[in-house]
Amino acid sequence: MSDATLHDAKRDPDDFAVQMADSIESFIVAVAEVSRGDEPDSAVPFLLLELSQLLLTGGRLGAHEDFLPDERYEPDVGPEPDVDELRERFARLLDPVDVYSEVFDPYARSAPVACRISDDLADIITDLRHGMAHYRDGRVSEALWWWQFSYLSNWGPTASAAMRALQSLVAHVRLDQPLDELDGLDTDAEATDEQLAEEAGKVMAAEIAGPLGLRSV
């Protein structure tokens, strides 16, 4: 349950804003806990679960009619909390599978670009915290507007991309399908496709299957 709900007993738990805030606060807390690296064996599946749940919240925001803030200009919420430490923790925790390929807009003809799950998580947390600052200050309509707007413009697509990457990692392991290549994997540029696949398979076994607690590939 979020701080906003805990500190205001008059809030109805069935209220849409309370549900959104509770879900978002739960994600923020859970991701921060995973980043500590205390349970690396469950990091990937746990992040997959948390992102899946967050995207359900985002879907509800996206399907809702447009929220309008009470004020014409967004009130200042102060400096944004630093997320560099969280980003660095995930970069270490997810190495060497942090980098993946993504197409930003499936309806636009664009080439895949390299993304990082660690960057994605930090960006998502930044967006969610910004709205939470409004919510905790009692500006509920502003918080809902921000979460809805940023879901459509940034954290929604980012969370979707990161979730697909994590789902792909789990699928590669459970279906015994070693990666053809891994961005960020230090391999010989002149290696053959077979050699790259073999090397990637070793990485999958050592870096993914083990931490996930799954059978070896």
Side-chain angles (χ1 to χ4, degrees):
M1 184 176 291
S2 71
D3 290 344
T5 305
L6 288 171
H7 297 162
D8 189 349
K10 295 181 180 180
R11 289 198 181 276
D12 183 354
D14 293 328
D15 182 76
F16 183 82
V18 174
Q19 293 176 2
M20 296 298 98
D22 283 350
S23 175
I24 288 169
E25 179 72 5
S26 176
F27 177 83
I28 293 172
V29 171
V31 169
E33 287 298 316
V34 176
S35 74
R36 300 180 190 278
D38 295 335
E39 298 183 13
D41 291 355
S42 60
V44 168
F46 196 79
L47 288 172
L48 177 61
L49 175 61
E50 288 299 321
L51 284 169
S52 299
Q53 294 175 333
L54 178 67
L55 283 170
L56 174 59
T57 299
R60 294 182 66 190
L61 287 165
H64 202 283
E65 62 183 11
D66 289 348
F67 291 104
L68 297 176
D70 294 332
E71 301 180 39
R72 181 177 181 182
Y73 299 103
E74 183 183 5
D76 184 13
V77 295
E80 298 286 355
D82 187 14
V83 295
D84 284 345
E85 183 177 356
L86 182 140
R87 187 194 317 271
E88 292 169 0
R89 284 177 177 176
F90 275 120
R92 293 192 297 269
L93 186 62
L94 298 172
D95 182 64
V97 295
D98 191 24
V99 179
Y100 68 97
S101 296
E102 171 62 13
V103 176
F104 287 124
D105 188 343
Y107 288 99
R109 294 185 177 181
S110 57
V113 297
C115 299
R116 291 183 179 273
I117 299 174
S118 55
D119 289 342
D120 292 343
L121 293 170
D123 290 346
I124 294 166
I125 291 294
T126 297
D127 276 348
L128 298 180
R129 282 178 175 172
H130 186 88
M132 188 60 71
H134 285 305
Y135 184 79
R136 286 173 171 163
D137 286 343
R139 296 184 292 271
V140 176
S141 61
E142 188 76 41
L144 289 172
W145 173 84
W146 172 258
W147 284 328
Q148 184 184 62
F149 167 76
S150 56
Y151 163 73
L152 297 172
S153 63
N154 187 49
W155 72 259
T158 302
S160 296
M163 188 184 73
R164 287 196 300 274
L166 292 167
Q167 191 275 338
S168 178
L169 290 176
V170 174
H172 274 293
V173 172
R174 295 200 170 181
L175 299 178
D176 283 334
Q177 295 177 347
L179 299 173
D180 292 333
E181 59 180 303
L182 287 174
D183 288 330
L185 181 63
D186 186 15
T187 57
D188 186 351
E190 297 181 356
T192 65
D193 290 343
E194 291 77 11
Q195 290 171 325
L196 284 174
E198 180 181 358
E199 184 65 23
K202 294 177 181 178
V203 172
M204 289 290 293
E207 304 292 343
I208 303 176
L212 283 179
L214 302 175
R215 53 196 171 86
S216 300
V217 295

